[in-house]
Every structure is written in C-alpha cells, then in structure tokens.
Amino acid sequence: MEFIENIFLTIGALLTNWLSSFLPAWAVTLIMDLLVIIILVLIGVVAVLALSFMERKVAARIGDRYGPNRWGPYGLLQPVADAIKMLIKEDIIPSVADRLAFNLAPILVTFAAVMTYAVIPFGKGLIGADLNIGILYFAAVGSITTLGLMTAGWGSDNKYSLLSGFRAAAQLISYEIPMALSIITVVLVAGSLSTQDIVMAQQQRGWFIFSMPGMFLIYVLAALAEMGRCPFDLMEADSEIVAGHMIEYSGMKFALFFLAEYINLFAISGIIVTLFLGGWSGPWLPSWLWFMIKVFCVIFVLMWIRNTYPRLRIDQMLNFNWKVLVPAALVGLMIVALMDKLFTNPWLAGLAMLAGNLVLILGVLWLMGWAQRRKELAAQKAALQ
Amino acid sequence: MSGIMIEVRSMYGIGLLKGLWVTLRHFWGTIFTDIKKFPRRYPPKPLTRGQPTLIGTFSVQYPEEKLPMFPRFRGPLMHLRDPETGQVRCTACGMCVRACPHGCITVEGEGKGKERRVTVYRYDVGRCIFCRQCVEACPFNAIELSREYELACYDKDTIWDLPRLLALGDRSGVTESGQYWK
C-alpha cells in the first residue's frame, strides 16, 4: 500500500535522478516542471473524455433510456468518435466577426479552466504548485472565464450572442460573491489559504461538510452557477438561445469551449472535494484513489441535479443570488467566525458550527416561504380590487 | 416553529429532495434491469417484444428488438389464401385496379367463371399511398394491407409480383381481409 500510495512520487524521483546524471540542475527542473504541466493538462483532457461520456450516460439512464451504446462495448469509444468529429469539422469564421476577439475567446476560456489545475491536491504530495495562496489563486483564475465569454459574445458579431454574453457576465460575476464568501469561511476555520493545509486541517477537525453544511450548499449552488450548469444554464441552453455565446463557433474552437466546460467541471468538483469533503484523506486506499472516487461522486451528484431540476430564468437567478445567497453567506460567515472564537476545542466548535448552519438553512427556508406568502397575499389583495 | 416545518416540507425544502429521489429511482431501475439480463445485452436473433417495459429502460434496441405493429397498421399489399383449399382467392376481376387512385396495380388472369384465377399481379409499392381503397373494393376479400415497415431498398425496382405478395400473406397469418376491422 505504501508503494502504491507513493507511486507517482517514486517515479518522479527516479526520473529526476536519472536526468541529473547528465544534465545541469536548471535543465532538470525545467524538464520536470514541463512534465508536470503536461500531466496536468492531460488529466484535464482525459477527464473531458470520461466526463462527456458519463454525462450522456447518466442523463440517459435517469431518463429511462440507454445512453450511447453502439460504439465499443457499452459505448465506451463514444468520446473517441466525438473527438474525431470535432477535429474534422470545418472551422467557419463569420466575415464580419472581429477576428482578434473571435479567435481569442476560446483560448481565454480554456486557459482559465486549465490554470486552475495547479492548486488542486490530487494526493498526498501530488499538487502542481503548493502555493500558500492556493484558494485565492483558484478564485482569481476562475474569473477569467467571464472575460472569455464576453469576448466570445462580442467577437461573434451576432446580437443574440452579445445578449447571451451580457447575461453570462451578469450571472458569473454575481455568483462569485457567495462563492468567495464560503471559501473565506472554510479558510477561516482551516487557518490557511493553501489547499494542502486545508485538507490537513480536515484530517484533524473532521470534514467541513459536517461542520458547515450551510456553507457547503451555498458553495455548491454558486459553483453550479459559475459553471453554467443546470439549473442555472441559461447561458448555453439549447432551447433558449441556441448555445449562447458559442453560436458562431464550429470545429476546433467549439471543441475548445466544450473542453473548457468539462475541465472546469472537474476542477470545481476537485475544489469542492478539497474544501468540504476532506480532499484526499481516507482510511485504506491510496490518497489519489480516494480523491478520484470523491470527485466522481461529486460529479455524479452534479449531473443528477442537472437532470432533475428545471431551468431558472435570468431574473430568478439574479434574485436568488442577491436576495438569498449573499445574505445567507454573510450570516453564515458571521456564525462560523463566532463559533470558531467562542470554543477553543475543535470538536465542540464543529458541533456549534453545525448547529449554527442548520439554523441558517432553516432560517433561509422560512424567510423564503414568508416572502412568497407575502407576495401571494399582495397579489390576492390586488386581484380583489 | 410550525412555520419552519411548513417551509421544510414545502417545495424548496423536502420537495427538492423528493425530486432527486424520483430521478435516482429511475436511474437505479435501469441499472438493475441491465444486471438482470446481464450477459446478453442484445438478444441473439431478432425477437419481437411485447410492450416496452415501464420500469427500467424504456428503449427498444432497434435492429435487435422490434415492436410488433398494431393490427390495423397499413403497410404494403399482400395476397391471401383460402384457409380450407389453400388456393389464392384473387380472381383478377380488376376492381382493385379501378379503385386505386394512383394506378399501382396491373392484373392478368385466366379461366372463366368460378375457376378464374390470377396469373400476373404487378403492384408498385413505390407509388402506393396505403389508402386501402383496393382492399375495400375487392369483392373476394383476397387482398389486405400487411404490417411490413422495413421497405427501404437500394434500387428503384419497386414493382412487386404475385409470389412475393403471397409470401407476405402467408407470413402474416391473416386469412380474410378486414379481419381486424370487424
């Protein structure tokens, strides 16, 4: 078990030793860093293959049908067919499109998605760069997606694309606030911004999902909206605005948008696992295997949510954010900070935070119901007159 | 306090979770039915299913599993035999030729009176609109519309002759035209 646990580190050490026997030190670090970069990008791309297939199969099974099951046994070669299709499609650029913006947009979006892989802890020593501002880097780089979408909307020179770009920008920048607030809550309790430190804090204090379920829910909802997934997928819903900002794209550029979406999904699931579900910690299996299992469970839950709930309108989405999520996140932050300071014993503090979070969830539900009832009463009164 | 319980049991509270439970039940249903028929994902030779199942996967995997058509389905023409004597019923009277709005049918017969029987019957399935006027017009209940729907072919040779139509009739198990319309 020890061997399997450290297999990647062992291979890395062997390779470094072999290279430094005939290369100067700067070349060795250069090659090893390039290798790490290539591996991280490859994890992203392989994740895309697996996730696009899993998405179609899960969506189909929830709908009482088989997914793709003709290519390869159980349809396992379907992503290969998809990849080949996207590679051989013609790359059409509208003649009136703004060339720079049009070509830059998919690059920006993919760039933002892949850069976030540097701070995800895949295992015990397996992290791209153990920055001590890890989570802040993640939130910052994740925001570049918004720029990419606006650029795509503008560069397509299509008014529907532009409209979709506006809505996408509104949605993405609004939902960054509850996301940042829940990240701050976790960082407060863990004591550090570095992702490896957050995982180790969870090993000592118990998983944060059990002490802060309210903040977990807020983060999951905000992350769903950030990724543009159902029920918040107005940006790219087929029946709404025919692929939104991606209307004019085809061929490899569309493939890059598609890639960026699934890379983002995997990255955000990785961060959910890191922040709330204990990262790579687990009793018996190697740490990177635990991480993968937890990430796939989270991704299954996200796909399950996608295939259950109807879509929200843009005004409902923004209302939900500013009137429910942001106040709830602020109150949750205050509760957690208070409980963290009041109780020095970490387990007692965890219990108190759990109680506070449950009160928060119930309070939010009650307030939402109260607001709904008030609206209905006002509508009834207006109808009577 | 009761206000909070109302909210928890409302649509946003338990309602959301109940929705998730419904979809999960469907998901597990398909996986269990797959496990039950495990080694054979597709049946070894084409079989005709009854009704598609309501629990578990609803799909009928087309080339390997086919659904039977309903009895009054209107497919291409077929010729019927008399069940006791086994002889072709058609006497080449030409009523179907006159009734067809498109002119799909050509007949020739030989013999006179009660022993007259058809020898050549040419039916153009490419032109047929499956309107059933020929079947309604036949005074001997000799023809009926079959339940074939796999009619695609690679050439424009769409004229069917008597042996083919008789084979369709024998395969279908229908003995008298209008059997299902009574």
Side-chain angles (χ1 to χ4, degrees):
Chain A
M1 270 312 150
E2 268 306 306
F3 174 68
I4 302 180
E5 160 82 37
N6 292 327
I7 190 168
F8 298 112
L9 296 172
T10 318
I11 294 178
L14 283 173
L15 201 58
T16 315
N17 282 337
W18 177 66
L19 281 175
S20 51
S21 64
F22 58 86
L23 281 177
W26 59 267
V28 172
T29 32
L30 184 67
I31 292 183
M32 291 308 290
D33 287 344
L34 275 178
L35 205 63
V36 165
I37 293 174
I38 291 177
I39 290 179
L40 283 178
V41 173
L42 275 181
I43 291 181
V45 173
V46 170
V48 169
L49 288 182
L51 284 181
S52 66
F53 175 68
M54 185 177 158
E55 168 114 55
R56 289 174 70 175
K57 285 293 242 188
V58 166
R61 295 262 166 179
I62 288 181
D64 279 346
R65 52 189 177 89
Y66 298 108
N69 61 356
R70 292 285 165 178
W71 279 104
Y74 296 100
L76 288 171
L77 291 181
Q78 181 69 29
V80 176
D82 278 340
I84 295 178
K85 173 198 80 166
M86 283 195 195
L87 286 174
I88 63 179
K89 274 201 174 171
E90 180 190 353
D91 204 354
I92 303 177
I93 305 184
S95 54
V96 293
D98 188 354
R99 290 239 158 177
L100 183 62
F102 196 80
N103 291 332
L104 193 59
I107 301 176
L108 271 181
V109 172
T110 318
F111 166 78
V114 175
M115 289 260 282
T116 56
Y117 273 49
V119 290
I120 302 178
F122 290 98
K124 194 148 193 181
L126 302 171
I127 187 171
D130 197 1
L131 303 173
N132 49 6
I133 52 160
I135 286 291
L136 181 61
Y137 168 86
F138 178 83
V141 168
S143 316
I144 301 181
T145 317
T146 320
L147 267 181
L149 292 184
M150 277 301 299
T151 317
W154 172 257
S156 303
D157 201 61
N158 178 345
K159 56 177 154 319
Y160 296 108
S161 190
L162 190 62
L163 255 180
S164 171
F166 293 160
R167 293 204 291 197
Q171 177 185 332
L172 291 179
I173 59 183
S174 310
Y175 274 92
E176 274 173 32
I177 298 182
M179 200 165 91
L181 284 171
S182 33
I183 291 179
I184 288 175
T185 316
V186 167
V187 164
L188 200 75
V189 176
S192 157
L193 281 168
S194 156
T195 44
Q196 289 280 32
D197 286 348
I198 294 179
V199 173
M200 299 213 250
Q202 291 189 67
Q203 277 185 318
Q204 292 163 354
R205 305 177 67 127
W207 292 1
F208 288 148
I209 187 176
F210 297 125
S211 40
M212 301 193 260
M215 304 314 288
F216 172 71
L217 280 177
I218 291 175
Y219 186 76
V220 166
L221 290 172
L224 275 178
E226 279 291 309
M227 291 189 282
R229 266 183 98 73
C230 268
F232 301 105
D233 70 345
L234 207 56
M235 305 193 305
E236 56 176 45
D238 281 337
S239 59
E240 296 286 329
I241 199 165
V242 193
H245 53 275
M246 302 192 282
I247 291 179
E248 300 283 343
Y249 287 92
S250 62
M252 200 59 210
K253 299 198 178 75
F254 182 79
L256 278 178
F257 273 115
F258 183 77
L259 218 73
E261 176 166 341
Y262 285 106
I263 291 180
N264 214 7
L265 173 62
F266 190 84
I268 291 194
S269 306
I271 290 292
I272 290 179
V273 164
T274 311
L275 289 179
F276 292 100
L277 287 173
W280 43 256
S281 57
W284 181 63
L285 295 170
S287 59
W288 41 270
L289 201 59
W290 266 123
F291 182 80
M292 285 299 165
I293 292 175
K294 289 182 197 175
V295 166
F296 275 101
C297 287
V298 168
I299 290 180
F300 175 73
V301 170
L302 292 181
M303 289 181 179
W304 183 19
I305 289 180
R306 174 200 175 135
N307 288 298
T308 308
Y309 297 131
R311 198 174 281 147
L312 292 180
R313 272 197 328 259
I314 186 78
D315 61 323
Q316 288 170 339
M317 252 197 283
L318 296 175
N319 274 343
F320 182 65
N321 178 44
W322 292 107
K323 296 183 186 174
V324 176
L325 282 187
V326 168
L330 285 169
V331 170
L333 177 61
M334 284 196 300
I335 291 177
V336 166
L338 201 62
M339 299 303 168
D340 194 38
K341 276 297 170 196
L342 276 180
F343 300 93
T344 44
N345 181 359
W347 299 103
L348 220 52
L351 277 175
M353 283 190 254
L354 174 65
N357 269 280
L358 288 175
V359 165
L360 175 71
I361 296 177
L362 292 174
V364 166
L365 282 175
W366 182 74
L367 278 173
M368 279 170 72
W370 180 68
Q372 182 74 15
R373 270 197 299 274
R374 249 185 28 165
K375 226 177 10 181
E376 281 170 14
L377 281 176
Q380 270 178 2
K381 235 181 5 181
L384 279 176
Q385 283 168 354
Chain B
M1 197 59 204
S2 69
I4 294 191
M5 287 320 287
I6 291 179
E7 290 322 315
V8 168
R9 282 201 296 262
S10 77
M11 188 171 81
Y12 295 115
I14 297 292
L16 290 178
L17 298 175
K18 276 194 200 166
L20 286 177
W21 176 244
V22 168
T23 37
L24 192 67
R25 249 192 1 232
H26 278 267
F27 181 76
W28 284 121
T30 60
I31 301 225
F32 285 149
T33 52
D34 260 8
I35 291 179
K36 273 199 293 209
K37 37 183 221 205
F38 175 56
R40 276 183 343 150
R41 274 165 59 229
Y42 305 128
K45 53 186 191 331
L47 65 91
T48 316
R49 290 171 61 159
Q51 276 295 108
T53 51
L54 288 173
I55 197 165
T57 341
F58 200 73
S59 315
V60 177
Q61 303 267 53
Y62 172 62
E64 292 92 6
E65 302 172 349
K66 300 182 214 242
L67 286 175
M69 284 298 118
F70 45 92
R72 300 182 195 180
F73 184 78
R74 304 205 296 219
L77 207 60
M78 62 184 174
H79 267 260
L80 304 173
R81 293 181 190 275
D82 201 357
E84 296 109 34
T85 61
Q87 218 187 8
V88 191
R89 278 200 184 149
C90 174
T91 59
C93 63
M95 293 299 294
C96 53
V97 179
R98 272 178 231 132
C100 179
H102 246 168
C104 304
I105 306 183
T106 325
V107 277
E108 281 168 33
E110 66 183 11
K112 284 216 160 297
K114 280 228 157 96
E115 289 81 29
R116 185 180 163 85
R117 286 285 174 259
V118 63
T119 51
V120 178
Y121 193 98
R122 274 197 285 269
Y123 161 68
D124 190 349
V125 75
R127 276 196 182 193
C128 180
I129 58 173
F130 311 116
C131 62
R132 262 189 134 239
Q133 293 301 312
C134 48
V135 177
E136 305 280 333
C138 180
F140 300 97
N141 295 337
I143 53 181
E144 179 55 277
L145 292 187
S146 67
R147 283 183 242 153
E148 277 287 309
Y149 51 90
E150 293 157 325
L151 303 173
C153 53
Y154 288 98
D155 48 22
K156 286 176 79 162
D157 184 17
T158 54
I159 301 187
W160 291 3
D161 53 0
L162 189 60
R164 186 167 177 172
L165 297 169
L166 270 174
L168 262 181
D170 294 333
R171 246 198 341 243
S172 73
V174 176
T175 51
E176 194 183 319
S177 91
Q179 190 172 343
Y180 293 108
W181 291 75
K182 297 214 160 67

